[in-house]
Amino acid sequence: MKFLAITLVVHAPDPVTGVKKPTRERFREVIDNAVLAEELGFDGFGVGERHERPFLSSSPPVLLSHIAARTSRIRLFTAVTTLSLLDPVRAYEDYATLDHLSDGRLDLIIGKGNGTAQRELFHVTPEDQWDRNAEGYALFRRIWREDRVTAAPRFRPGLDEAEVWPRPLQRPIRVWHGSATSEDSVDLAARYGDPLFSANVTHPIEPYAALVRHYRERWEHHGHDPARAVVGAGTAGFHTARTSQEAIAAYRPVFEASLAFQKQQGVKPVFRTLDDFVERSSALIGSPQQIIDKVHRYHERFGHSVLHLQADAGGLTEALHRASLERFQSDIAPVLRREIPDPPFPWAPVLGTDATPPDAVQAETGAADAGPTTPAPDHS
């Protein structure tokens, strides 16, 4: 099993102390957390993309480029790249550049990911957002793989033998599809033979497990090898300590502050007590053995081989959060790495050369089927 640390770069008052860090300090914290994740042995670090309050993650390529310069081993993820909002040509340029700057350490997780404010900012409607996501991804794939592209998309000007530079380092880049509530992202991932990343943070396991089952069914429907279907999964919270009592006591102020915020915003809480949150959500809170057991329970339903934890302290003190991450790497990760398989592809750059046809590189590396170049139908 592989492990990611992920941040959405929330910029809000600390849920416990009420103190809000300056923007510059918050960005520095993100960079420091990425460096720490590499030092502790995490396999990847992810930065979200949001274009509305209370997030500072409107420019993942810039943040990840800085992280690439401060690290040397850890893979860099977007979580998620909102292709329904972006021009796929411009997105390609940013990420192909980052691909080179990071020495091929880049993975993308794409998704619709649209809150109302950011959707309105980019003039995207609820009616066209899924079509935009599917069309944007189809065009993005072609640009990554083809030196010249001719296309007549609906949502941006057409291309006529267009060359887009720089040509990428990885041939092709690995793209995951973020999945939260809709079958559209799941269908798109299965159609193209791409890995799926379940958000798995808001609700109990059942709706997420249903989407993972649908993914595997559609994967086989499209003729892909069932053994190569890959699932990652998120977690709703994390804190581990020597005993469950210590972990729960430390996390209680964080949960209570979050519950108060939800009620203030008029949001009906899914989990009304900390005990319920620990038991029925995907949060990993407890002793190392309790966390190992819970990951295994989720693995029985998801079959996932990648897991993400929150990179941010999120209301815990920095000392407690760091100690928790250190304990995860010393007492939990080694067990899960032994007992749960890795994804069935190398956790390494898919490197070609400027003279190597993308299809040849794909064949050499055993990458998943390239899939079709037309958008998947909308099922929303």
Side-chain angles (χ1 to χ4, degrees):
M1 178 168 254
K2 299 294 187 183
F3 303 101
L4 315 182
I6 285 184
T7 178
L8 300 181
V9 201
V10 174
H11 190 225
D14 183 284
V16 175
T17 68
V19 175
K20 184 176 181 180
K21 295 178 179 178
T23 298
R24 182 173 62 172
E25 185 176 339
R26 183 69 181 96
F27 279 133
R28 287 177 174 173
E29 183 178 57
V30 171
I31 304 303
D32 290 344
N33 285 342
V35 172
L36 175 63
E38 178 167 273
E39 291 175 354
L40 294 180
F42 281 86
D43 303 291
F45 189 87
V47 173
E49 179 179 333
R50 300 290 189 278
H51 300 269
E52 59 186 333
R53 291 176 182 269
F55 305 99
L56 296 176
S57 49
S58 59
S59 187
V62 177
L63 266 174
L64 289 170
S65 291
H66 194 82
I67 292 170
R70 293 284 306 278
T71 59
S72 61
R73 176 195 58 81
I74 199 166
R75 288 197 69 79
L76 308 176
F77 282 73
T78 62
V80 300
T81 295
T82 52
L83 274 181
S84 62
L85 306 180
L86 305 177
D87 179 343
V89 175
R90 190 70 185 94
Y92 165 83
E93 292 174 331
D94 285 341
Y95 286 115
T97 301
L98 175 54
D99 191 36
H100 283 277
L101 294 175
S102 66
D103 293 326
R105 288 188 283 138
L106 179 63
D107 276 47
L108 297 182
I109 306 176
I110 69 162
K112 175 182 68 67
N114 293 347
T116 301
Q118 64 179 5
R119 190 177 63 235
E120 291 175 352
L121 182 65
F122 288 89
H123 295 275
V124 173
T125 70
E127 293 73 30
D128 69 20
Q129 58 189 349
W130 286 110
D131 287 340
R132 286 177 178 271
N133 187 61
E135 178 185 281
Y137 182 49
L139 186 53
F140 182 93
R141 284 178 63 92
R142 289 192 59 197
I143 297 170
W144 201 280
R145 289 162 170 76
E146 301 173 26
D147 290 336
R148 294 176 180 270
V149 175
T150 297
R154 289 174 55 196
F155 299 108
R156 62 146 286 128
L159 302 174
D160 183 13
E161 288 293 295
E163 295 181 283
V164 190
W165 296 93
R167 299 313 300 152
L169 180 61
Q170 294 189 91
R171 300 288 188 98
I173 193 172
R174 185 159 48 241
V175 177
W176 306 64
H177 295 250
S179 165
T181 59
S182 171
E183 290 184 352
D184 292 82
S185 294
V186 171
D187 289 340
L188 199 63
R191 181 173 185 174
Y192 283 108
D194 293 333
L196 185 77
F197 214 108
S198 173
N200 190 40
V201 297
T202 306
H203 302 285
I205 192 172
E206 286 76 16
Y208 303 114
L211 287 171
V212 171
R213 285 196 303 273
H214 182 72
Y215 167 68
R216 295 185 185 279
E217 291 167 1
R218 299 305 295 170
W219 176 279
E220 292 193 51
H221 171 80
H222 288 294
H224 304 303
D225 180 357
R228 297 193 66 83
V230 177
V231 176
T235 54
F238 169 69
H239 183 59
T240 188
R242 186 178 57 86
T243 67
S244 61
Q245 293 83 357
E246 292 176 50
I248 290 172
Y251 200 83
R252 186 173 299 280
V254 178
F255 176 80
E256 291 177 349
S258 174
L259 195 65
F261 178 78
Q262 291 178 60
K263 291 179 179 177
Q264 180 185 5
Q265 298 298 309
V267 176
K268 184 178 181 181
V270 176
F271 307 101
R272 295 179 177 275
T273 68
L274 178 56
D275 289 344
D276 189 37
F277 182 66
V278 172
E279 176 63 27
R280 293 197 306 121
S281 83
S282 63
L284 302 178
I285 301 166
S287 69
Q289 189 59 53
Q290 286 174 313
I291 288 175
I292 290 167
D293 292 344
K294 189 168 189 178
V295 172
H296 272 291
R297 290 201 302 273
Y298 269 74
H299 182 260
E300 289 174 2
R301 303 287 296 276
F302 290 168
H304 59 307
S305 53
V306 180
L307 178 75
H308 90 50
L309 302 179
Q310 295 178 2
D312 302 314
L316 295 168
T317 67
E318 293 297 331
L320 270 178
H321 184 55
R322 176 168 183 140
S324 184
L325 293 176
E326 289 173 345
R327 191 180 296 274
F328 179 86
Q329 287 295 348
S330 65
D331 297 352
I332 299 171
V335 177
L336 294 174
R337 289 186 195 278
R338 288 195 307 269
E339 296 178 350
I340 297 178
D342 284 347
F345 46 67
W347 199 260
V350 183
L351 297 180
T353 67
D354 290 341
T356 306
D359 289 344
V361 175
Q362 192 171 21
E364 291 167 8
T365 58
D369 175 49
T373 57
T374 54
D378 178 49
H379 300 292
S380 57

